[in-house]
Amino acid sequence: MSIRRSTRSRRAIAAVSLAAAMALAATGCGTDDGGGKANDGGSSPSSAPPKSPDEDKGAKQEDTAVGENVDPNVKLAQVNGRDGLVLVVNEVKRDSGGFVTVSGQIKNDGDDVSSGSQWSGSESTLVAKNPNSVAGATLVDKIGKKRYYILRDTDGRCLCTTGLAAIGPKSSVAVFMQFPAPPETTTEVDLTLPTFATASLKISG
């Protein structure tokens, strides 16, 4: 009997060890380096697995943090929109990853509440994936004669501010937009966002 018990104990310990090793391996495989490089077509290739609801929540929090180091008092450009809306651009930065990030604010200087759904653009697929966003923005390189659209991931979600709620009177909301970077020789671009006048911007970085 003691021999049988000893054998069963060894088998139980081996099974527990195997389960622990498999759990550790599964945890390691869940890492997402986010190393996909954006291309000119406006997409960002990625081999990452589908995100869980908790991971998506974290991504949204990261989105809102993109412009946290931007000085809101710096005004590179300010253009008017409809119904008392004003777009203020605080930063236009070229990053080493091959993209340009535009950070700014949309202010409501009017007396009525303004919807956040008017800047998603006219592309039906993009609007469906990114309601209440600034996905309709574009950058224009006039010298290179090329237009750059908002970057998006493989699921069609834009690399920009999404989930914009209605903006109340005398209120503002921070926004950011990411585009493929034009050539290094291009230092100035025009930003267009639906309902706003065109803003001429100088790229830094």
Side-chain angles (χ1 to χ4, degrees):
M1 293 295 293
S2 61
I3 295 176
R4 290 180 180 178
R5 289 177 182 173
S6 176
T7 302
R8 289 175 181 174
S9 298
R10 285 197 296 271
R11 288 177 179 174
I13 292 171
V16 170
S17 299
L18 178 60
M22 291 177 67
L24 182 61
T27 302
C29 290
T31 302
D32 179 11
D33 293 335
K37 184 178 180 181
N39 58 26
D40 285 349
S43 61
S44 179
S46 173
S47 59
K51 293 183 179 181
S52 67
D54 288 341
E55 288 175 320
D56 280 338
K57 183 177 179 182
K60 290 180 182 177
Q61 291 173 347
E62 182 179 350
D63 285 350
T64 58
V66 168
E68 65 180 1
N69 295 322
V70 176
D71 186 349
N73 296 315
V74 174
K75 294 183 181 180
L76 300 183
Q78 178 173 311
V79 292
N80 295 326
R82 293 197 298 244
D83 303 322
L85 291 172
V86 178
L87 171 63
V88 177
V89 178
N90 304 120
E91 183 179 77
V92 183
K93 187 176 181 180
R94 185 190 297 271
D95 293 284
S96 58
F99 54 88
V100 167
T101 302
V102 178
S103 302
Q105 308 163 60
I106 295 178
K107 298 182 177 182
N108 183 359
D109 288 340
D111 298 321
D112 299 316
V113 175
S114 182
S115 170
S117 63
Q118 52 191 317
W119 307 300
S120 299
S122 58
E123 185 183 337
S124 58
T125 303
L126 192 60
V127 173
K129 291 282 187 178
N130 306 277
N132 300 328
S133 70
V134 289
T138 63
L139 282 186
V140 177
D141 175 4
K142 291 187 293 186
I143 296 178
K145 297 181 179 180
K146 189 170 183 179
R147 183 184 300 272
Y148 297 89
Y149 294 88
I150 286 276
L151 287 167
R152 64 191 80 174
D153 64 17
T154 53
D155 291 326
R157 293 174 298 189
C158 74
L159 276 65
C160 67
T161 300
T162 60
L164 286 170
I167 306 175
K170 314 308 176 187
S171 298
S172 64
V173 60
V175 295
F176 80 93
M177 302 151 252
Q178 291 184 330
F179 305 89
E184 294 283 347
T185 53
T186 298
T187 58
E188 293 187 11
V189 290
D190 285 348
L191 171 70
T192 63
L193 182 65
T195 78
F196 288 98
T198 299
S200 294
L201 307 170
K202 181 168 288 189
I203 302 174
S204 64

